[in-house]
Amino acid sequence: MDTTDRVTIALDTQLPSYLLSTTLTIVAFYFAYKLFKYSCQTIHFPGPKGSWYNGNLKELLADNAHEYWVKWNREYGQIFEVHSSCFSRLIFVGNPEVINHLCLRNYLKDEKVYNGFKYLSGNGLFSQLDPVQWKKQRSALAPSFSHANVYQQHHIMQEYMNILIEKLDLAIEQKKLVNISNEITLITIDFLGEIAFGQTFDALKLGENCLLMQLLQSILPELIKCAVFPLRGQFPILRVTRKMHEDIKKLRSICQASIKTAREMDESDRLFKKERIFEILATTKSSNGQYVFSEKELIDNYVTFLVAGGDPTASAITFALYELCRTENEQILRKAQEEVDELLDGRSDLINEHDLNKLKYLDMIIKETLRLHGPGFGTIRKLKENLTVNGITLPKNTSLYIWNYPVHRDPRIWSEPDIFNPENFRNVDAGEVKMNGSYFPFSHGPRKCLGLSLAMAEMRFILATFIHRYHFRLADNFKMIEKSSFTLCPSNGLPVYITKRI
Ligand code: HEM
């Protein structure tokens, strides 16, 4: 190829100049418009200074972003602003009265953020942005998560717990160091796989080779990036983003197949068992004989349960166990063990669903864990008009971050905010904590977590079984590192030595 050919090819592959100049003009106008809109904002709050081009983005995307939120809340007050680029800001709302108002009145979720989750969960409850559709869906789904239905799922947890006990007993015999955080993740996947997909995925048996586990590991970290940077999901240039889209398709088609089977069985077998939340939802019919949920609505929601439910529950159990393993919390562990021992009265059985609610001290431990290490960050809302609450005016069209981690560690609300102390929750019912809007690990108001009772039952059962049967000792020099990811999670697991207690 001679030089002339090379020049011709180079020119052919270049953009025509008129196209280039039009693109540049559009981009310039876009930025000028954003800058103009940003400079028109009149309501401002104090906040950390960031770099001129990407504001506080570095801190917001850091693994320890949660620590920055705590620091900023203590430094700049209960309402502050941070910037995710030079002209894009978000406002942190940590004032309990304002949180109460925004959540109880159920102001809309911020579509810019929640649209990013739609790749996975479509118009499922979590990412549903139309208030009328949300209300309809919420009231149709809620009965399946009633206490009575949650009780019905208990035997599934017991079955998986028996598998886990076998695994742990073997590790004890072999004197192995166990990363108990992995085992907790696997049991929650098994449990939710059954409840949400009506299938056995054998996560505890297969570990890393479990299909559901592999799909979630590929989807979740990328999904959160697509929620923060919407263009990433819309234009999947990166291989990881394309892989995420492919794996979402796989996950949804597994779910679709389960629904088809359940509905065929329901039509053909009059005695078809409907105990699991999966079957209850898939086969519920309205008075006109039609299924209440379309196939797509079911898939959107089943996938939501799997993702919204698995990760935070597993992290919360790991954080609670970590606190109970620490030498400074020895007395707390002893009290919790006495409570379970008394309930089981010397028996080595697994706790039944009715007894779970009697573990009042264990409940205080779980609530305190969710205060100090709440894995579900909170909720993000947006106003259509400026709003004044408690003398504070919040601007319209700005993302309002109602994050529990900094509020749960606010020294204006909690006397020793950084110390693990279950006594914070003595004589406090789940619903009427100290002050509304100051404790909300499951969010607050009508859009609070749908799976709250299920998650509480799972946490109580797994923790109670663990502390009743085993002694756990943290690996030498282990220090828990919390990471801000899809949820707040333990980034270095929880390595423990286990011995039998009964
Ligand atoms: C410890 C465990 C859990 C924690 C800390 C937690 C926390 C939360 C939080 C903070 C929200 C609000 C999210 C937002 O507004 O952006 C939420 C919503 C939700 N959670 Fe959970 N969750 C847990 C377990 C579960 C489980 C087990 C399920 C279901 C199986 C579940 C299903 C949902 C659903 C469907 C929503 C959306 C509710 C709506 O918008 O109406 N969660 N959760």
Side-chain angles (χ1 to χ4, degrees):
M1 195 190 290
D2 67 15
T3 326
T4 337
D5 285 342
R6 258 186 239 128
V7 170
T8 317
I9 289 168
L11 282 176
D12 281 351
T13 51
Q14 271 174 16
L15 277 180
S17 59
Y18 70 89
L19 204 60
L20 192 68
S21 57
T22 316
T23 312
L24 286 177
T25 317
I26 291 173
V27 171
F29 266 111
Y30 173 77
F31 279 104
Y33 167 72
K34 290 283 258 183
L35 197 58
F36 171 71
K37 253 185 81 182
Y38 181 69
S39 60
C40 289
Q41 287 169 350
T42 50
I43 304 171
H44 282 283
F45 297 96
K49 208 170 151 3
S51 89
W52 67 270
Y53 65 97
N54 68 357
N56 314 96
L57 193 66
K58 200 170 128 237
E59 291 92 325
L60 291 171
L61 294 181
D63 280 354
N64 62 343
H66 51 284
E67 286 167 15
Y68 285 105
W69 289 103
V70 171
K71 180 174 162 286
W72 292 333
N73 180 46
R74 289 180 184 179
E75 223 167 300
Y76 299 104
Q78 291 179 323
I79 313 260
F80 59 84
E81 62 179 47
V82 279
H83 294 78
S84 53
S85 76
C86 57
F87 41 60
S88 169
R89 70 168 178 164
L90 47 98
I91 294 174
F92 166 80
V93 180
N95 177 294
E97 280 83 3
V98 184
I99 292 172
N100 217 17
H101 185 93
L102 290 174
C103 290
L104 294 186
R105 303 277 174 103
N106 210 6
Y107 283 92
L108 297 179
K109 281 188 170 180
D110 180 355
E111 79 284 346
K112 210 170 74 191
V113 176
Y114 289 91
N115 271 336
F117 291 104
K118 285 186 185 275
Y119 298 116
L120 177 67
S121 51
N123 283 320
L125 200 66
F126 177 79
S127 46
Q128 177 57 260
L129 297 169
D130 176 334
V132 178
Q133 288 304 321
W134 168 78
K135 206 168 175 183
K136 213 173 114 204
Q137 245 188 74
R138 176 98 193 189
S139 43
L141 289 168
S144 311
F145 286 84
S146 65
H147 286 294
N149 276 342
V150 168
Y151 276 0
Q152 284 204 114
Q153 316 304 306
H154 191 77
H155 73 98
I156 305 176
M157 271 195 298
Q158 285 182 325
E159 280 160 33
Y160 286 112
M161 182 50 89
N162 281 325
I163 300 175
L164 181 53
I165 288 172
E166 260 180 47
K167 269 181 100 173
L168 296 185
D169 287 354
L170 187 68
I172 293 171
E173 261 174 45
Q174 297 170 342
K175 295 191 169 51
K176 267 190 182 165
L177 181 70
V178 178
N179 184 353
I180 193 76
S181 162
N182 271 357
E183 302 303 326
I184 294 169
T185 304
L186 295 172
I187 193 173
T188 50
I189 288 185
D190 268 335
F191 178 53
L192 272 177
E194 281 245 4
I195 288 188
F197 278 31
Q199 284 199 22
T200 305
F201 286 94
D202 279 336
L204 274 168
K205 288 184 183 152
L206 297 172
E208 293 287 308
N209 296 324
C210 163
L211 173 67
L212 196 57
M213 177 98 170
Q214 287 169 350
L215 292 176
L216 290 176
Q217 277 171 353
S218 128
I219 296 169
L220 293 185
E222 186 56 20
L223 188 71
I224 192 79
K225 288 181 189 143
C226 293
V228 180
F229 306 107
L231 288 179
R232 188 169 169 135
Q234 283 158 18
F235 302 100
I237 308 165
L238 300 174
R239 217 181 66 81
V240 271
T241 320
R242 288 200 299 277
K243 170 112 176 55
M244 175 195 83
H245 285 302
E246 278 164 26
D247 286 343
I248 287 176
K249 267 195 204 145
K250 278 188 207 156
L251 192 66
R252 292 180 65 94
S253 66
I254 297 175
C255 192
Q256 188 179 23
S258 295
I259 296 167
K260 199 163 165 274
T261 313
R263 286 188 166 172
E264 279 167 7
M265 302 270 283
D266 187 41
E267 297 296 329
S268 62
D269 179 358
R270 287 179 58 238
L271 298 174
F272 180 54
K273 269 198 182 160
K274 297 175 196 172
E275 279 176 359
R276 294 183 295 201
I277 289 176
F278 170 76
E279 278 92 7
I280 297 173
L281 287 173
T283 58
T284 307
K285 289 183 176 166
S286 52
S287 51
N288 63 9
Q290 300 285 314
Y291 286 118
V292 170
F293 297 101
S294 70
E295 192 180 84
K296 171 154 186 332
E297 280 171 334
L298 282 176
I299 300 174
D300 287 350
N301 279 301
Y302 288 146
V303 171
T304 302
F305 301 156
L306 190 67
V307 171
D311 221 36
T313 314
S315 298
I317 297 169
T318 302
F319 290 139
L321 190 61
Y322 165 69
E323 288 292 356
L324 292 176
C325 287
R326 297 174 69 195
T327 23
E328 51 268 58
N329 295 332
E330 217 171 297
Q331 290 299 328
I332 297 173
L333 171 65
R334 194 155 309 143
K335 265 170 109 171
Q337 281 171 328
E338 278 167 16
E339 187 184 53
V340 187
D341 290 350
E342 201 174 303
L343 189 76
L344 283 171
D345 199 17
R347 284 171 289 128
S348 62
D349 308 3
L350 290 179
I351 299 176
N352 69 40
E353 58 273 41
H354 305 287
D355 283 345
L356 272 186
N357 285 341
K358 297 179 189 156
L359 297 169
K360 298 294 170 210
Y361 191 65
L362 186 67
D363 254 24
M364 287 161 58
I365 291 174
I366 294 174
K367 284 175 194 154
E368 178 64 350
T369 303
L370 293 173
R371 179 186 73 79
L372 215 52
H373 313 273
F377 291 111
T379 186
I380 306 169
R381 306 293 168 105
K382 198 178 246 183
L383 300 169
K384 287 200 165 133
E385 295 302 331
N386 291 355
L387 172 77
T388 305
V389 190
N390 212 20
I392 300 163
T393 300
L394 296 170
K396 62 181 177 180
N397 295 331
T398 310
S399 301
L400 303 174
Y401 277 58
I402 305 175
W403 252 203
N404 58 45
Y405 196 89
V407 177
H408 290 176
R409 287 184 184 245
D410 188 335
R412 285 157 284 216
I413 301 172
W414 307 91
S415 54
E416 286 179 309
D418 298 326
I419 292 182
F420 183 81
N421 180 10
E423 294 303 319
N424 278 324
F425 291 91
R426 191 169 288 284
N427 303 326
V428 176
D429 282 346
E432 43 123 31
V433 176
K434 276 186 181 177
M435 220 195 314
N436 278 331
S438 46
Y439 179 71
F440 48 99
F442 292 98
S443 189
H444 186 43
R447 275 206 100 148
K448 76 169 181 235
C449 179
L450 179 76
L452 193 157
S453 304
L454 189 71
M456 285 303 289
E458 221 179 321
M459 290 187 281
R460 282 178 193 131
F461 177 65
I462 295 177
L463 281 168
T465 311
F466 277 1
I467 61 169
H468 180 58
R469 300 184 86 92
Y470 302 112
H471 287 294
F472 296 91
R473 182 171 67 77
L474 291 176
D476 298 338
N477 303 323
F478 174 79
K479 196 174 170 294
M480 167 69 73
I481 301 176
E482 294 177 330
K483 181 178 166 189
S484 288
S485 179
F486 183 69
T487 54
L488 187 76
C489 57
S491 82
N492 50 344
L494 187 62
V496 286
Y497 291 103
I498 311 176
T499 44
K500 281 194 188 172
R501 190 171 167 258
I502 54 163

